[in-house]
Amino acid sequence: MLDYQTYLSQVRRNAYEADPAFRAHWLAGLPETWRAWSDTRARQVGALAATRWTELGQRANENPPKLHVRNAWGEDIYSVEVHPDYDQLAREAYEAGVVWPRFNAHLNGGKAPWSVVFGLGYLFGQAEQGMFCPICLTAGTAWLLERFGDEELKRRYLTRVASPDYDQLLEGAMFLTEREGGSDVGAARCEARMEGGQWRLYGDKWFASNAGRAGAMMVLARPQGAAAGTRGLGLFLVPRELGNGERNAIRIHRLKDKLGTRSMPSGELTFEGAIAYPVGAVEHGFAQMAEMLNLSRLYNAVGSISNMRRVLRTAIAYQGARSAFGHAVDQYPMAQAQLIEQTIEQEAATRITFETIGWLDRVEAGNPGARGEKLLRVLTPMIKYHTARASVDMASWGAEALGGNGYIEEWPMARYLRDAQVLPIWEGTTNILVLDVLRSFAKEGTGPVLLAELGNRLEADFGPALAPWREALAREVADAEQQLLALLELDDAGRTCHAKAWCDRMVRLTQGVLLLETAAQELAAGRGRAVLVLAHFLRRHFAPGDWRERMRGPSPALGYEAIVHHAPISADAAIALLREGAPALR
């Protein structure tokens, strides 16, 4: 039996207000000048994301885009029609601030840090994942223009790509993939030719997201006579329309019939002499595009954790409203243990993602220099692959948590599962990302820097209550250093085969340190939820001993109300609860 009204009242709760763990660490990480504005805007976005935007996104997915090749007069138009609800959702989301605050002077004449727009994007992604891709592409296009575009290009395009007015907005796109290459971008054959003093592009792009919607496309193409591989690629901005309103020479062959993110058009297209403008030095095109690629990986991670969060919200609401065998499902210990596990996995993934975004903000501000750049360099691919896989796993669990209804399209979990599967593929599969981590070891020496960062943070005084866990994490960090040295001594084949295990361990260690810091902060304030979260996390990922010791430890369902529903619990009560559940802690 399902109490449907109870389910709806819970699943439609403000996505921001219903997520106090995110709210606390997000606001704490923002500059003080941006906290009040961000908090107010996030409450507005969170309310819409849980209600109106979810409904608009659902209808947009049920009515995917259509390609119109010709008009009634037989003229080629290559126009993409989206459902009106998709267009309305885009208007409201962009104007709400998912991109423009980062690029427009606003509070006290300053631009927002990335953490602000990513926080709003995290809430938006809980409503609609398909549109989160164009949001990412638009922000990335603006970023490339800001960093590498000349003044004329900025004047003509940056002001519109970053516009807070939807009627003036040009959405962005990033076109890399070709049939010849896939992840091997250096195999690209799209060609740039200088004709009559103007660059023109010729060639195909195989997976062009936001096709027909993007007004400013960032495209990699090889200038005639340039070297093979990535070093010979140039970066070009290709407008959809020219200054006179004429369509640029771009032919859209078809739209992809995708597993998920169906609301957003992805197509196959050919440049047939399309006018293009170089962005930065043509000979540095791939290096410049790599900046957008890394930003897109952060967007991928935010999309992953937001999808995890909406799966979790739905499962919590459903199991609280569903009765079986005389009790609500969420009153059974096994269900409680699973909800605790998934809550903590989503929370830990969110913490490490916004920690990495914080490093991006610090690097852009010039602080703390090379160390920050190396941490950002190694964490970005690691969190991308970790959160993407975690999102798929959680969506699969979420479908099971709803039972038969989880497999039915009238319920949201089927769409959440379909939407999740693009995340491990978009912007590099797991293998590609692990290889990128290995490259960062060789070129920037990032592994020891990450280990040193964790070691330094563990030198803080966490107090006697947390000292055993601090010491356990410190031992793990020291052992991970030995594991890294052994990894680097292997030949290339062995290194690539064993690198993921080290990366996985470092993700968990970083999450553990972040959760330890939060637990210390809450303990100092007299609160105990974060202590319970930390205990469960370390027990799952780092608990020593055999099955006997594990069975004598805290129950996997311990602290359910405090962890899943954020019921208040004092620091003393949390510690007492752990001791009662685990005699070894006495």
Side-chain angles (χ1 to χ4, degrees):
M1 182 67 179
L2 177 70
D3 185 339
Y4 191 61
Q5 293 305 314
T6 296
Y7 164 77
L8 286 180
S9 69
Q10 292 301 307
V11 84
R12 290 177 176 174
R13 287 180 62 202
N14 186 306
Y16 180 62
E17 295 176 354
D19 195 356
F22 163 74
R23 186 169 72 247
H25 72 73
W26 178 58
L27 289 175
L30 297 180
E32 187 174 353
T33 54
W34 280 93
R35 285 178 192 163
W37 184 91
S38 300
D39 184 54
T40 299
R41 186 57 58 99
R43 290 181 193 279
Q44 297 166 352
V45 168
L48 290 166
T51 53
R52 173 176 168 79
W53 287 355
T54 292
E55 295 166 2
L56 292 174
Q58 177 65 32
R59 288 194 292 270
N61 276 273
E62 293 169 351
N63 298 275
K66 300 176 183 178
L67 172 63
H68 300 288
V69 176
R70 288 186 168 183
N71 63 16
W73 297 97
E75 300 168 325
D76 292 339
I77 56 172
Y78 306 112
S79 172
V80 172
E81 176 190 356
V82 296
H83 190 268
D85 284 348
Y86 181 93
D87 201 51
Q88 183 62 32
L89 180 58
R91 174 182 294 277
E92 295 181 19
Y94 280 110
E95 292 187 346
V98 292
V99 174
W100 66 260
R102 168 58 188 76
F103 300 97
N104 291 271
H106 188 51
L107 293 182
N108 300 321
K111 299 176 183 178
W114 280 108
S115 299
V116 169
V117 294
F118 273 121
L120 298 178
Y122 166 73
L123 298 171
F124 172 81
Q126 295 178 44
E128 167 54 17
Q129 288 276 305
M131 191 176 291
F132 197 58
C133 177
I135 288 170
C136 159
L137 297 174
T138 302
T141 298
W143 200 37
L144 287 180
L145 285 169
E146 181 183 67
R147 290 165 67 86
F148 305 115
D150 59 34
E151 292 306 313
E152 176 61 16
L153 212 56
K154 291 178 183 179
R155 183 189 66 80
R156 292 175 61 187
Y157 292 103
L158 178 56
T159 54
R160 294 196 61 190
V161 173
S163 176
D165 181 355
Y166 185 71
D167 292 324
Q168 296 299 314
L169 178 73
L170 291 179
E171 286 190 289
M174 174 177 65
F175 296 164
L176 280 76
T177 311
E178 299 183 17
R179 283 175 292 182
E180 293 78 14
S183 295
D184 184 6
V185 178
R189 297 172 63 180
C190 185
E191 187 176 58
R193 304 175 192 169
M194 178 63 74
E195 297 176 352
Q198 172 69 64
W199 285 103
R200 292 181 178 271
L201 300 193
Y202 295 87
D204 298 336
K205 291 295 178 182
W206 179 246
F207 208 102
S209 291
N210 213 22
R213 291 273 299 176
M217 295 155 262
M218 290 293 179
V219 182
L220 285 179
R222 195 179 309 281
Q224 278 184 308
T230 56
R231 292 186 178 181
L233 294 172
L235 176 62
F236 297 87
L237 183 147
V238 182
R240 186 174 73 240
E241 294 181 355
L242 306 178
N244 56 7
E246 178 185 355
R247 178 182 62 84
N248 208 349
I250 305 169
R251 180 188 299 269
I252 303 176
H253 298 285
R254 62 172 176 170
L255 298 182
K256 301 284 193 180
D257 186 5
K258 298 178 293 182
L259 173 68
T261 61
R262 293 176 176 174
S263 64
M264 183 267 299
S266 298
E268 300 164 16
L269 55 82
T270 298
F271 297 111
E272 300 177 324
I275 289 176
Y277 305 100
V279 180
V282 173
E283 62 271 21
H284 297 153
F286 180 76
Q288 293 165 173
M289 180 64 99
E291 299 288 332
M292 182 173 179
L293 183 63
N294 282 324
L295 184 68
S296 294
R297 288 172 173 173
L298 292 178
Y299 267 98
N300 191 294
V302 173
S304 297
I305 59 175
S306 64
N307 194 61
M308 292 170 73
R309 180 61 191 169
R310 68 177 180 174
V311 167
L312 186 60
R313 287 174 54 231
T314 303
I316 291 171
Y318 190 92
Q319 293 200 342
R322 172 83 166 94
S323 296
F325 308 107
H327 298 282
V329 171
D330 70 352
Q331 295 306 301
Y332 291 102
M334 190 180 295
Q336 291 184 346
Q338 290 176 337
L339 289 170
I340 286 174
E341 177 183 311
Q342 299 300 336
T343 297
I344 293 172
E345 285 301 312
Q346 195 278 335
E347 196 167 317
T350 301
R351 289 303 311 277
I352 195 172
T353 297
F354 275 88
E355 175 73 13
T356 307
I357 293 166
W359 283 113
L360 173 61
D361 283 330
R362 289 190 284 274
V363 166
E364 285 204 342
N367 179 29
R371 180 171 66 94
E373 291 177 2
K374 290 179 180 182
L375 289 170
L376 180 63
R377 174 72 179 86
V378 70
L379 284 171
T380 297
M382 286 170 60
I383 67 162
K384 189 277 177 186
Y385 88 69
H386 169 76
T387 57
R389 282 265 30 115
S391 185
V392 175
D393 293 344
M394 185 171 285
S396 178
W397 165 82
E400 185 179 356
L402 268 63
N405 284 335
Y407 202 67
I408 304 301
E409 292 292 347
E410 292 166 302
W411 291 83
M413 282 298 189
R415 176 160 69 96
Y416 297 171
L417 179 57
R418 288 198 311 271
D419 286 351
Q421 190 57 66
V422 74
L423 295 163
I425 300 170
W426 180 34
E427 313 307 5
T429 60
T430 299
N431 289 350
I432 292 297
L433 293 162
V434 171
L435 289 173
D436 195 30
V437 171
L438 287 175
R439 280 192 295 272
S440 79
F441 290 170
K443 293 183 178 180
E444 291 99 358
T446 59
V449 174
L450 178 56
L451 285 162
E453 174 68 17
L454 297 183
N456 290 338
R457 292 169 84 151
L458 287 170
E459 290 179 359
D461 182 8
F462 290 95
L466 300 179
W469 290 322
R470 185 207 68 80
E471 292 167 6
L473 285 169
R475 288 193 297 270
E476 290 287 343
V477 169
D479 189 64
E481 184 176 5
Q482 297 304 309
Q483 184 182 4
L484 176 62
L485 293 173
L487 176 69
L488 297 178
E489 290 176 358
L490 298 175
D491 60 19
D492 287 345
R495 197 176 301 128
T496 58
C497 288
H498 291 281
K500 184 177 181 298
W502 187 85
C503 291
D504 288 339
R505 188 178 188 186
M506 292 308 299
V507 167
R508 294 308 189 185
L509 278 172
T510 305
Q511 290 174 327
V513 171
L514 294 172
L515 294 177
L516 176 65
E517 291 176 340
T518 301
Q521 293 163 5
E522 287 207 3
L523 274 180
R527 299 189 300 273
R529 177 185 179 274
V531 179
L532 299 175
V533 169
L534 176 67
H536 278 289
F537 179 86
L538 294 181
R539 179 180 184 274
R540 182 179 185 205
H541 295 293
F542 295 106
D546 61 13
W547 60 268
R548 295 174 182 85
E549 292 183 54
R550 289 174 177 266
M551 288 182 69
R552 284 197 296 266
S555 165
L558 189 74
Y560 169 74
E561 289 293 336
I563 293 172
V564 175
H565 295 291
H566 294 267
I569 185 169
S570 70
D572 290 342
I575 292 172
L577 192 63
L578 286 170
R579 286 175 175 163
E580 292 169 5
L585 292 178
R586 290 176 182 164

